[in-house]
Amino acid sequence: MKTIVKQLLGLILFLSVSTVFANEGNSVIKGKVSTSDGGSAAGVTIIIQGKSRGAITDEEGNFIIKNLSAGTYELTISLVGYETVHETVTLAENETSTINIKLQLTKKELEEVIVASAAQSYKANTTSSSLRLQTPLLETPQNIQVVTNKILQDQQVISMSDGLIRNVSGAVRLEHWGDMYTNITMRGSQIQAFRNGFNVVNSYWGPLTEDMSFVDHIEFVKGPAGFMLANGDPSGLYNVVTKKPTGQTKGEASLTMGSFDLFRTSVDLDGKLSKDGRLLYRLNLSGQQKKSHRANEYNNRYVVAPVLAYKIDDKTTLTAEYVWQQAKMSDVGSYYIFDTHGYATRPAGFSMLPVGLPGTTINDHSLYLNLQHQLNSNWKLTGQVARFYYGQTGSSMWPWAVNPNNTVIRGVGIWDAKSNMTLAQAFVNGDITTGPVRHRILAGADLGNKEYFADWGQSYPLDTANGGEFKMDAANLGYPANGFPVFDRTIPLEERALKAGGLIDQRYTGIYLQDELGFFDNSLRLTLAGRYTYVKQSSYGGAPEEAKQFTPRIGLSYSIDKQTSVYALYDQAFIPQAGDLVDGGKVKPLTGNNMELGIKKDWYGGNWNTTLSIYRVVKNNELTAAPGNIGKSIELGKKRAEGIEFDVRGRIARGLNLVANYAYTDSKIVELSESLINNSNMKEGDLVPGFSKHTVNAWLGYKIQSGVLKGIGANAGFTWLLDRATFWDTPPAGGAQLPDYFKLDAGLFWEKDRIKITANLFNVLDEYLYSGSWYSYLNAYYWQADAPRNARLSIQYRF
């Protein structure tokens, strides 16, 4: 294996260095594309006629085509809704030619200005720079789906946990502590949470769900990506990309009202702080008050998110960003319902939360510094550091007993927590040519230091036995029989966390190198990559564990034509684990691999896109909760997830936008650890809890383009989950299983000039929808019910 690794790295290094001696050409065409109203045109396609070469403009409308020989080139510049432009450029040897293009609206679309960018479209052509990839999505040998800002606005998504995953095939959200964290499962496992390219997972219960007021878009990467994004799960990750200055002076204010006393306001300001346009800013502010369909619950949010970007020179930009989120929520365990007889035995609005029980307050701070420097026309250097701090003071309800006679002894446990993370990244992107071979090179390093402290060592029963139990058939949400708890917080949290076993710490270093080699005018692309990771960590009172691993990656992508590509991928993952094993043994790192095949296609000039992929993910040594042992872990053994995923998104016709997807997921235990054989009723071949075998989603929007009703539109969408598996424990023989899930949403909107009014009705059919599991420790079922039929109304004004 070591020999293979050395040969792989040596090959990549040789091909990179050899550019000094065998370069196709050193001439460059670069420029900026703008729209007729002076705005930057993002997502514009620039093609060199007769060659499979070109570029796509970035968010500021800039593009660059490198490594050209002397000669005359015919460029075709196109963007949906605008007249196609043809430009002739003649280059001398070692010359850089700069052109500026202004696009004019087509006659057909003169009545409506369309800014075809990620912010105003259901389809994205590229990923953010925080994913580090230079390759357009169509050519990337991996299934990556982008949920754009346009989708977020049309669906009135207000937080990361607010139905957003309907836009990605195979994504399912499991039981959770309300809007505290997202907990998305995909390809058989919980995927990792990233923010601006940083892995911000510091415990199973984090990070805090992002409020959408400061979010530009979300990128879902399916399959392993740990080779370049620090420690990642073989099933994938999602990367939340925050809003940055655009260089345009503009703003937006919005007001949202809805069921359960929802009242929300937000402001987004974007502009220049200097006349020369070198100092830019972005400021997002929001506030929210929201109750629930269950009694005594609330979820109030506040956000302050300023960004400053300074263009030091034409090649260097420094960006500083700060985000503060505050969440004030009712007790985070109140969302659960328990019963020994089965699921849905109580109304969707049933609650066990007493009036006056103190809630939970969370303050989430994140600070980023990002430096980007264009070394020359071929190489770009990026360095960024981030500091994350998360403080939580609160509690979580969890029963002490659930009885067959429909009584419960409610318990409340303290849940104070603190998370500190200091993360750093540095990487270089290169785009060079050696003879007939193009190289897109990525190399870099990651460093991280994470600490999580939690006190859950204090608990208190709200009810008493022998007559003082909580009666579910005659629920009284007044002052409980045993009163409210008074937790001892006089001792510093760090000391309480050590005593309660709630300390998690992790330190890691990773280096990686990737070369995407393009053959035959870049129509065939071979990706060779490797990452070396060293990690030291401990958690839950366990001894510190050290682990190190080299993980390779091989990808192949071929462009059948300019709109169609096929790909194959083999990737490995490595995630150190820490926990307190039931048998006292040593925790092994989680290892896994992903094999994937797929086909991607842009349709009708790039208006919309489809992705079809098949995959197989294998994971070894994964830890899971030990049945009947709170705070203890047990090794699962080996599990395998395989399936098919299909996504379609974009503008199907003029005024008609669609997001639709389907996924078939088959996730099973293929090898059971000895500990589980002796301590559970699981067996090899059992389904892995926590997924739906079939997931189907769709969201369709249409806006009338002309006439008296111009600007009026309608939206409709559904989520359908079939053959669901429980999450926490395998139920006893003959026990209840989760039923299928179908949710229908619909709405209307009106848009004219700078105003947009959107109204959506959620759960139109008023179905009783829930997710849950059997829990052997309590010998009972638990579930969380979605809201019944409810509505939202938003008013947006752009200035």
Side-chain angles (χ1 to χ4, degrees), residues 51-340:
K51 290 182 175 290
S52 298
R53 298 286 299 277
I56 297 175
T57 58
D58 62 18
E59 294 178 354
E60 297 181 357
N62 298 313
F63 72 92
I64 185 168
I65 306 173
K66 310 168 188 174
N67 308 123
L68 298 172
S69 301
T72 300
Y73 297 91
E74 294 290 336
L75 304 185
T76 300
I77 299 99
S78 60
L79 179 64
V80 176
Y82 292 86
E83 298 282 1
T84 298
V85 175
H86 299 281
E87 186 80 8
T88 302
V89 180
T90 300
L91 292 174
E93 197 66 33
N94 298 319
E95 180 185 6
T96 297
S97 178
T98 302
I99 62 174
N100 293 298
I101 303 295
K102 181 169 287 189
L103 300 179
Q104 301 295 327
L105 290 166
T106 62
K107 294 180 180 179
K108 183 179 179 181
E109 307 254 2
L110 273 174
E111 297 178 354
E112 180 182 4
V113 176
I114 299 175
V115 181
S117 66
Q120 296 297 322
S121 172
Y122 279 22
K123 174 181 175 287
N125 295 315
T126 59
T127 61
S128 68
S129 60
S130 64
L131 273 190
R132 316 183 194 187
L133 299 175
Q134 302 177 88
T135 309
L137 283 174
L138 186 64
E139 299 177 0
T140 302
Q142 191 157 10
N143 190 338
I144 300 177
Q145 299 296 321
V146 180
V147 181
T148 67
N149 197 263
K150 172 68 172 173
I151 295 174
L152 299 177
Q153 291 190 12
D154 285 357
Q155 296 179 4
Q156 293 182 305
V157 177
I158 61 178
S159 88
M160 192 65 205
S161 64
D162 191 32
L164 178 145
I165 58 174
R166 76 189 311 161
N167 301 289
V168 182
S169 60
V172 178
R173 188 170 183 233
L174 301 179
E175 302 78 54
H176 45 84
W177 277 262
D179 193 32
M180 177 180 166
Y181 72 107
T182 308
N183 195 10
I184 298 173
T185 289
M186 193 165 61
R187 294 190 175 183
S189 299
Q190 182 181 7
I191 62 175
Q192 299 285 289
F194 282 67
R195 198 180 297 171
N196 290 327
F198 289 106
N199 187 333
V200 291
V201 176
N202 204 10
S203 77
Y204 178 81
W205 305 275
L208 178 67
T209 54
E210 288 85 358
D211 186 277
M212 289 297 106
S213 60
F214 63 91
V215 174
D216 184 77
H217 64 277
I218 302 99
E219 300 162 334
F220 283 80
V221 180
K222 300 188 175 193
F227 73 99
M228 64 174 179
L229 291 174
N231 309 310
D233 192 278
S235 296
L237 62 92
Y238 65 86
N239 183 39
V240 175
V241 181
T242 58
K243 295 177 180 177
K244 306 294 192 300
T246 65
Q248 303 177 52
T249 301
K250 58 187 178 67
E252 180 179 292
S254 66
L255 170 67
T256 301
M257 299 168 286
S259 302
F260 318 122
D261 296 333
L262 169 64
F263 185 85
R264 174 184 172 86
T265 60
S266 63
V267 176
D268 180 1
L269 304 176
D270 189 2
K272 304 175 182 179
L273 290 175
S274 63
K275 292 182 179 180
D276 60 6
R278 298 178 69 176
L279 182 60
L280 310 175
Y281 81 95
R282 190 81 178 258
L283 177 63
N284 281 275
L285 306 170
S286 74
Q288 168 187 301
Q289 292 187 342
K290 182 177 181 292
K291 294 182 180 178
S292 167
H293 61 287
R294 288 177 291 262
N296 305 325
E297 289 181 2
Y298 57 91
N299 177 18
N300 301 332
R301 290 289 191 106
Y302 308 94
V303 172
V304 178
V307 187
L308 290 175
Y310 180 62
K311 296 183 179 181
I312 299 173
D313 53 40
D314 291 340
K315 296 182 178 180
T316 311
T317 301
L318 177 65
T319 303
E321 178 179 358
Y322 169 72
V323 177
W324 170 65
Q325 292 188 95
Q326 184 182 73
K328 291 188 174 182
M329 301 181 287
S330 48
D331 180 281
V332 295
S334 64
Y335 311 94
Y336 293 91
I337 307 173
F338 297 83
D339 200 309
T340 60

